[in-house]
Amino acid sequence: GVGYFLEPLVLLAPFAKKPLRVTLRGVTDAPNDPSVDYYRMCVLPLLKRLLPDNELDIKLVHRGLHPSGRGEVWFSCPVVRRVQPLLLTDEGRVKRVRGMAYCSCVSP
């Protein structure tokens, strides 16, 4: 799935020589890969705390489910010269718990 390719891109793209803009097409929610929603909701907020420029973005254009795929994800990342330190000693309070549901093959 797309999450398989998104994982190394998210980790290595900030240290590239030029800004990166990638379009990934395929299955966005594979059974054995992390979904694009995981990267958008969990990984991206942590990376935005590390990187001084907040131009880092993952956009889910079309959701693609297994086995047909047809999903599309846009990933953009600026070049980073310096990484800010990240201290996670105070976890804070839980403010809200959110969920997401989606389905496929449903007639309108």
Side-chain angles (χ1 to χ4, degrees):
V2 171
Y4 181 78
F5 297 100
L6 197 57
E7 185 172 4
L9 279 176
V10 167
L11 296 174
L12 297 175
F15 307 106
K17 290 185 178 184
K18 295 182 181 180
L20 187 65
R21 292 187 182 195
V22 178
T23 301
L24 300 169
R25 292 186 179 97
V27 177
T28 58
D29 297 286
N32 297 326
D33 292 335
S35 70
V36 175
D37 298 316
Y38 165 73
Y39 287 105
R40 281 186 26 222
M41 303 295 179
C42 298
V43 175
L44 207 62
L46 283 174
L47 280 177
K48 285 187 176 185
R49 290 175 60 184
L50 278 172
L51 307 176
D53 296 330
N54 287 332
E55 298 174 17
L56 186 67
D57 190 30
I58 298 174
K59 183 176 181 184
L60 180 63
V61 180
H62 298 287
R63 190 174 296 277
L65 299 176
H66 187 69
S68 64
R70 298 187 189 138
E72 187 173 342
V73 176
W74 293 347
F75 173 68
S76 63
C77 182
V79 176
V80 175
R81 300 286 179 214
R82 188 175 66 94
V83 177
Q84 297 176 351
L86 179 64
L87 299 174
L88 296 174
T89 55
D90 183 23
E91 66 275 355
R93 295 179 50 125
V94 176
K95 293 181 182 178
R96 70 186 102 141
V97 176
R98 294 184 287 181
M100 181 181 302
Y102 55 88
C103 60
S104 67
C105 299
V106 177
S107 57

